[in-house]
Amino acid sequence: MTPDHGELLYEGKAKRVFASADPDRVLVEFKNDATAFNAQKKAQLDDKGRLNCQISARLFELLEREGVPTHYCGLAGETWMLVRRVEIIPLEVVLRNTATGSLCRQTPIAEGTAIDPALLDLYYKDDALGDPLLTEARVQLLGVADPARLSAIEQLARRVNAVLLPFFEGIDLQLVDFKLELGLASDGTLLLADEISPDTCRLWDRGNSNAEDRILDKDRFRKDLGGVMEAYGEVLKRVQGTCPNPRNCL
Ligand code: UDP
């Protein structure tokens, strides 16, 4: 089902953003396009849009119940979400609870090392530059966020981790790391935006000790492991098992 929508405002790698009847809200459509390695690897994955939209909606509602401010307003179809219109801050905020991926390629830290408190890494959201890792000084130099805003971003990101880490543990998933994007609403409020899904989180099945079989996230696509949508489906099944059905706002 496609909701009534206005003009296409923006198209990204995984989502399209359309105007809605309310100037302060926009409609987000989750696409089936999968990309990795800065879009050098591309595929169409049937049903990915629905799975990510449905997982994200439940996680946004969970976070909202825990007092985390998000852009989410409600579902507007199986692959559609109504969200507050925000100006996205050009930062990719990554929280790491377990070492893997680029952290292990770029440092001597061993794969699987537990990180507590979580490591917060900031990347500049710029595809042409390949989303480079930033320092706090570079964030200031770029004028992306002043120290007060950066501190608010870090606090919000850590609150998200504090909710999601035990939530996923409760459904036998290890939240290895994840990426967040934040935005500013028209009244200046800092809101969690974008999505929270197996595209943006690394999730390992805690009941499976095999290093490949336990992967239930986009690394299955990145590493050509197969069974990508089956893995996302398993995540949705477990999330659905404990979260109420998300509200429909149409
Ligand atoms: N991530 C993401 N989008 C990006 C880069 C990373 O959603 O453009 C997520 C990724 O899925 C993982 C976390 O952020 O959950 C940390 O990724 P890392 O920096 O280790 O990236 P890698 O280079 O290993 O993919």
Side-chain angles (χ1 to χ4, degrees):
M1 185 211 78
T2 303
D4 280 342
H5 60 74
E7 59 166 329
L8 177 68
L9 299 173
Y10 171 81
E11 177 154 10
K13 287 178 291 216
K15 297 186 284 299
R16 286 187 195 95
V17 180
F18 295 88
S20 78
D22 177 346
D24 196 42
R25 292 174 177 205
V26 291
L27 283 157
V28 176
E29 181 189 15
F30 286 66
K31 303 194 289 183
N32 288 339
D33 303 57
T35 61
F37 312 119
N38 204 11
Q40 290 172 58
K41 178 170 180 169
K42 290 184 194 168
Q44 279 285 310
L45 297 176
D46 264 1
D47 212 28
K48 182 172 84 80
R50 183 187 69 87
L51 291 165
N52 280 349
C53 182
Q54 296 295 320
I55 293 166
S56 260
R58 287 164 175 84
L59 296 177
F60 278 133
E61 290 194 16
L62 165 74
L63 289 162
E64 177 187 88
R65 286 194 295 278
E66 296 293 331
V68 176
T70 86
H71 72 156
Y72 171 87
C73 302
L75 282 177
E78 283 202 305
T79 61
W80 291 82
M81 220 178 243
L82 186 69
V83 305
R84 294 273 302 277
R85 187 194 283 260
V86 296
E87 190 190 321
I88 293 284
I89 298 168
L91 289 176
E92 301 208 336
V93 181
V94 171
L95 269 288
R96 301 177 189 275
N97 296 304
T98 304
T100 191
S102 59
L103 180 62
C104 296
R105 289 196 301 275
Q106 295 165 357
T107 72
I109 299 169
E111 174 87 21
T113 305
I115 311 170
D116 184 15
L119 175 67
L120 185 137
D121 279 334
L122 299 170
Y123 297 83
Y124 188 47
K125 190 173 151 60
D126 186 320
D127 284 340
L129 295 175
D131 298 341
L133 180 63
L134 293 174
T135 59
E136 283 196 23
R138 287 186 184 198
V139 172
Q140 303 310 318
L141 188 65
L142 286 166
V144 169
D146 64 18
R149 170 131 321 133
L150 196 56
S151 157
I153 290 171
E154 170 154 4
Q155 263 189 45
L156 200 146
R158 290 195 182 280
R159 276 171 71 196
V160 171
N161 194 36
V163 173
L164 294 185
L165 194 63
F167 168 77
F168 280 119
E169 194 171 324
I171 52 173
D172 230 15
L173 294 173
Q174 184 176 341
L175 179 59
V176 171
D177 56 29
F178 59 99
K179 184 259 308 183
L180 298 177
E181 291 184 26
L182 297 104
L184 295 170
S186 51
D187 62 0
T189 318
L190 183 67
L191 298 176
L192 177 63
D194 193 42
E195 67 181 283
I196 308 176
S197 73
D199 266 8
T200 61
C201 300
R202 284 197 174 98
L203 295 165
W204 292 351
D205 188 355
R206 286 158 53 93
N208 195 325
S209 56
N210 181 286
E212 288 189 348
D213 295 348
R214 69 183 174 187
I215 296 172
L216 296 179
D217 57 65
K218 191 161 127 182
D219 274 352
R220 297 204 73 82
F221 172 67
R222 294 189 186 101
K223 300 179 183 201
D224 289 321
L225 296 177
V228 186
M229 286 307 96
E230 289 76 6
Y232 284 40
E234 178 61 25
V235 173
L236 176 58
K237 195 173 106 191
R238 292 193 200 184
V239 168
Q240 267 175 334
T242 47
C243 289
N245 281 337
R247 59 181 173 264
N248 211 304
C249 59
L250 289 186

